[in-house]
Amino acid sequence: DSGVTQTPKHLITATGQRVTLRCSPRSGDLSVYWYQQSLDQGLQFLIQYYNGEERAKGNILERFSAQQFPDLHSELNLSSLELGDSALYFCASSAQGSFNTGELFFGEGSRLTVL
Amino acid sequence: ELKVEQNPLFLSMQEGKNYTIYCNYSTTSDRLYWYRQDPGKSLESLFVLLSNGAVKQEGRLMASLDTKARLSTLHITAAVHDLSATYFCAVDDFGNEKLTFGTGTRLTIIP
């Protein structure tokens, strides 16, 4: 158990719908990262937040958005869903300061299926 | 753009044999990570390599980093079935605050 919590674990929805994925980082971690894992694209970095602020952006679609709240949990919002958005979405967090080796600790993931 | 390449992509090997997975990357980063993923599961951190020449070992797995060659290896010694999984290397794209992952190597150990 990495200490990173993601909900829901599984989600099935229809095209055109909107879903929200939630992540709680490890206790004490200020950074949250979102990754998408699909069969054809591999593990793709989406976005990173640090203490409530966006720090880095990757291959995140305009239909997707994220935020990190004052209690440090993060939400990834996916809208106007398409079949190709079906994937495993991972959240990860990293330690801060002198403990920061850059190592990411991953949650169990949220498996999204768009029908 | 940072590129991270692993080879082979698929590896089927017999129990008891040795093999090496290679990870090449295109930046000058000196931070590299290895992760293991079982099917449909999370990514488990295996090794953190933070300098040129770093070598880490855990059980039958040993990872090394050559930053000058931009190459890391994950060596498997006397493979056992429990090591069957997908192994990813990831590189810290310094200054970009994120890890870029390789394509993964799906390892299958055959009894």
Side-chain angles (χ1 to χ4, degrees), chain B residues 8 10 15 24 26 31 38 62 64 71 73 78 83 106 110:
Chain B
F10 299 93
E15 278 190 330
N24 291 91
S26 62
R31 290 182 154 194
D38 292 307
M62 183 174 71
S64 66
L71 170 69
T73 60
L83 291 179
R106 184 177 293 182
I110 303 168

Side-chain angles (χ1 to χ4, degrees), chain B residues 2-8 20-27 31-35 49 63-67 69-75 87-92 100-105:
Chain B
L2 168 60
K3 294 194 183 305
V4 183
E5 296 182 346
Q6 287 181 238
N7 67 83
T20 300
I21 299 171
Y22 298 88
C23 174
N24 291 91
Y25 55 97
S26 62
T27 188
R31 290 182 154 194
L32 191 136
Y33 310 81
W34 284 95
Y35 287 85
L49 304 171
S64 66
L65 178 61
D66 181 344
T67 59
R70 301 179 187 177
L71 170 69
S72 179
T73 60
L74 180 65
H75 188 72
Y87 293 86
F88 291 92
C89 64
V91 178
D92 186 333
T100 299
F101 282 79
T103 49
T105 296

Side-chain angles (χ1 to χ4, degrees), chain A residues 56-69:
Chain A
K57 213 167 189 176
N59 301 319
I60 187 166
L61 300 172
E62 286 191 9
R63 300 184 286 109
F64 296 0
S65 64
Q67 54 184 327
Q68 186 179 26
F69 294 87

Side-chain angles (χ1 to χ4, degrees), chain A residues 33 35 45 47-48 55-58, chain B residues 1-2 27 91-100:
Chain A
Y33 304 74
Y35 281 81
F45 169 73
I47 198 163
Q48 180 211 357
R55 178 66 69 92
K57 213 167 189 176
Chain B
E1 180 187 341
L2 168 60
T27 188
V91 178
D92 186 333
D93 193 359
F94 185 71
N96 287 338
E97 304 270 354
K98 64 182 177 74
L99 295 189
T100 299

Side-chain angles (χ1 to χ4, degrees), chain A residues 31 33 35 37 39 43 45 48 55-58 88 90 100-109 111, chain B residues 1 31 33 35 37 39-46 48 50 88 92 96-103 106:
Chain A
S31 284
Y33 304 74
Y35 281 81
Q37 186 177 36
L39 287 176
L43 266 162
F45 169 73
Q48 180 211 357
R55 178 66 69 92
K57 213 167 189 176
L88 195 50
F90 285 109
N100 184 9
T101 63
E103 181 182 13
L104 298 187
F105 298 89
F106 283 82
E108 295 293 313
R111 180 171 294 282
Chain B
E1 180 187 341
R31 290 182 154 194
Y33 310 81
Y35 287 85
Q37 185 181 35
K41 302 295 185 182
S42 183
L43 284 89
E44 173 192 356
S45 179
L46 293 176
V48 177
L50 300 179
F88 291 92
D92 186 333
N96 287 338
E97 304 270 354
K98 64 182 177 74
L99 295 189
T100 299
F101 282 79
T103 49
R106 184 177 293 182

